[in-house]
Amino acid sequence: MAPKVLRVGGVVRPPGDKSISHRAVMLAALARGKSELSGLLTGDDVKSSARVLRQLGAEISRIQESGVWVSGSRLQAPGSRLHCGNSGTTARLMLGILAGQKFAATLTGDASLRRRPMRRVTEPLKQMGADIKERGDGLPLTIRGGKLRGLTYSSPVASAQVKSAILFAGLTGQVPVTITEPYRSRDHTERLFAHLGLGIHERNGAISYQPSALSIPSFNVSVPGDISSAAFMVAAAVLAEGGELLVENVGVNPTRTGVLVVLKRMGAHVERINLRDEGGEPVADLFVRPAALSGTEVSAAEIPTLVDEVPVLAVLASRARGSTVFREVGELRVKESNRLELIAANLRGLGVRAQVLGNDLQVEGTEKAPRGRVETAKDHRLAMAFAVLGTVDGANVKLSEQKSVAVSYPEFFRDLDRIYARRTTHDAR
Ligand code: S3P
């Protein structure tokens, strides 16, 4: 049988940005009056935030991409535990919101989320005066908010979730907060605060929120597509053997575009066209052509700008000429799975040389077709990254499961099929 030549083609639109969707729903629930949000991610994680906010008294219509309305009000004590599902962003940002509320609430989550560290958030919130009862460094835990004091905090990790939790605590507790972090993490919270006229500013890398007497106004916002989801389609197009792909409506906030910077260094052709602004966030369409890649070094300073794209970049590195190293990616051990070990182990299982050295990840490129089984550990980004690897010629990649993609990209497999000009089967399915 002649080898199949994988040609990509057409146009694809990634789902709404997960980080912005969480923040928009949360801020709308805190605002006075009715807000309209369009382009929201309909994935499970955002549904977790909406469910928790409804338990706290917010009225939120069904989460759909075309539009969601949120009627904000004063939050009320929940009747039962707040289940955050698989979503670290829900748990950590809600802790910030709850720190300023005069009632107790217990948060929990699925087995993956219960294993993830929460002290990075509970420590600063306790310093602000929140009363938090925790059994270890994780969920379940009970928070009783109330009267808070201001905080100046130097975070040991570059984490937008930590930063945002503190900003939300400042907002709901009406106290000033200032945060510095080792490297700048994604700044969607800051941008939304600025968009709503809330007192936020940055000086020499320190982010400060200064409360004003005003309540949060209701707002309308259109959420751009998620670059972290777009990255999988971009990667599939880069690995194809011909054609071109347009990925429309992608958020290109510079705190998130590290994947594009690294792809360019590796030799990929990804052009940003039709640059525009949506609710304080830069948005573009990405025009992608297949390319031969070479290995690169991804520095520690770049990691926060591509932290969720390491799985897909590692997969691309396995198809590049030479070796690639990702410096200081220890944080990947505490994502939805131990992503660091699982990326390396799964690549090895497919015949790729990959190893974890301290906190660095090294991947050697190969031309051999990847063949074998991938353990996703129900981690959506591992499932999608390895499904993309399963599209290369001669590949036979079997995923342990596929359902986890619903967390951030429910239509992932449909889109992956669609982008091939000539329909092909990819063995990952
Ligand atoms: C997120 C921040 C990042 C990222 C996660 C979403 C956010 O986590 O990995 O997918 O929306 O703030 P950390 O804050 O733990 O780096």
Side-chain angles (χ1 to χ4, degrees):
M1 207 168 74
K4 49 187 192 207
V5 176
L6 272 189
R7 287 183 67 81
V8 279
V11 181
V12 69
R13 279 174 92 87
D17 186 281
K18 180 156 81 68
S19 294
I20 301 174
S21 296
H22 283 294
R23 288 154 172 81
V25 182
M26 289 177 189
L27 276 169
L30 295 171
R32 183 168 294 178
K34 197 164 175 171
S35 298
E36 298 251 1
L37 317 173
S38 67
L40 276 191
L41 170 65
T42 58
D44 292 346
D45 270 18
V46 175
K47 288 181 178 161
S48 289
S49 282
R51 185 179 56 244
V52 162
L53 288 162
R54 288 189 193 109
Q55 281 181 268
L56 294 164
E59 278 183 66
I60 305 173
S61 67
R62 200 163 73 84
I63 301 294
Q64 49 189 7
E65 210 181 307
S66 53
V68 171
W69 57 259
V70 180
S71 226
S73 62
R74 192 179 285 276
L75 299 185
Q76 298 153 17
S80 55
R81 303 205 313 174
L82 305 173
H83 203 297
C84 304
N86 189 244
S87 175
T89 313
T90 304
R92 297 192 179 120
L93 270 55
M94 284 310 304
L95 281 169
I97 289 175
L98 292 166
Q101 315 293 333
K102 294 187 182 59
F103 54 75
T106 299
L107 283 87
T108 190
D110 71 8
S112 148
L113 183 56
R114 288 199 307 272
R115 279 194 294 270
R116 299 181 66 186
M118 291 294 144
R119 272 209 186 115
R120 52 181 60 197
V121 170
T122 57
E123 272 308 317
L125 296 179
K126 280 188 203 161
Q127 287 178 34
M128 292 178 76
D131 174 14
I132 299 175
K133 300 226 173 342
E134 45 199 337
R135 270 184 268 155
D137 184 8
L139 300 182
L141 63 76
T142 300
I143 179 167
R144 179 181 290 278
K147 201 166 161 43
L148 300 183
R149 43 189 176 267
L151 178 73
T152 296
Y153 190 69
S154 174
S155 175
V157 278
S159 161
Q161 295 179 352
V162 172
K163 176 173 62 179
S164 303
I166 297 169
L167 288 172
F168 275 135
L171 179 67
T172 56
Q174 285 292 288
V175 291
V177 289
T178 296
I179 307 117
T180 53
E181 45 184 354
Y183 299 111
R184 184 74 184 264
S185 63
R186 64 191 66 189
D187 65 358
H188 304 300
T189 304
E190 295 94 303
R191 283 174 188 256
L192 258 180
F193 271 40
H195 189 62
L196 300 183
L198 305 171
I200 188 112
H201 54 266
E202 193 224 308
R203 191 177 300 148
N204 301 328
I207 311 295
S208 298
Y209 166 72
Q210 190 66 44
S212 60
L214 298 171
S215 59
I216 306 167
S218 59
F219 60 96
N220 296 343
V221 83
S222 166
V223 177
D226 198 324
I227 189 165
S228 297
S229 300
F232 298 108
M233 296 301 134
V234 170
V238 169
L239 288 180
E241 286 150 34
E244 52 195 34
L245 180 70
L246 187 64
V247 189
E248 277 185 343
N249 194 42
V250 182
V252 288
N253 178 321
T255 61
R256 296 284 301 282
T257 47
V259 60
L260 300 182
V261 175
V262 170
L263 275 174
K264 186 167 183 196
R265 222 158 56 220
M266 294 177 82
H269 308 294
V270 185
E271 217 182 307
R272 298 178 208 197
I273 55 178
N274 195 13
L275 251 173
R276 54 212 186 261
D277 179 281
E278 293 264 9
E281 290 279 352
V283 182
D285 301 334
L286 303 179
F287 186 64
V288 195
R289 285 201 201 89
L293 301 176
S294 22
T296 188
E297 175 166 342
V298 184
S299 70
E302 288 179 308
I303 298 302
T305 68
L306 50 75
V307 64
D308 293 334
E309 286 69 73
V310 177
V312 75
L313 282 171
V315 152
L316 289 176
S318 78
R319 306 305 297 167
R321 186 164 39 79
S323 64
T324 295
V325 57
F326 299 86
R327 299 279 178 216
E328 293 303 323
V329 281
E331 265 295 299
L332 297 192
R333 293 197 175 92
V334 291
K335 292 293 179 190
E336 287 83 329
S337 68
N338 183 342
R339 270 185 198 160
L340 183 53
E341 294 299 339
L342 281 168
I343 292 169
N346 281 315
L347 283 174
R348 283 195 299 268
L350 297 173
V352 178
R353 279 168 60 203
Q355 57 177 343
V356 178
L357 278 178
N359 288 325
D360 293 351
L361 171 67
Q362 280 187 357
V363 181
E364 296 292 329
T366 175
E367 286 180 356
K368 253 185 6 203
R371 291 177 159 265
R373 182 181 181 275
V374 164
E375 175 55 64
T376 71
K378 296 189 189 151
D379 181 332
H380 55 133
R381 298 202 199 279
L382 292 180
M384 292 187 278
F386 284 97
V388 167
L389 187 54
T391 64
V392 305
D393 188 27
N396 185 356
V397 176
K398 299 241 184 286
L399 303 179
S400 59
E401 58 78 41
Q402 305 176 2
K403 286 204 185 96
S404 59
V405 306
V407 159
S408 63
Y409 197 163
E411 306 291 358
F412 169 78
F413 285 105
R414 183 203 66 186
D415 285 356
L416 190 60
D417 266 353
R418 245 187 213 172
I419 65 172
Y420 296 106
R422 198 159 56 81
R423 207 190 137 83
T424 55
T425 49
H426 49 93
D427 296 323
R429 303 205 45 198

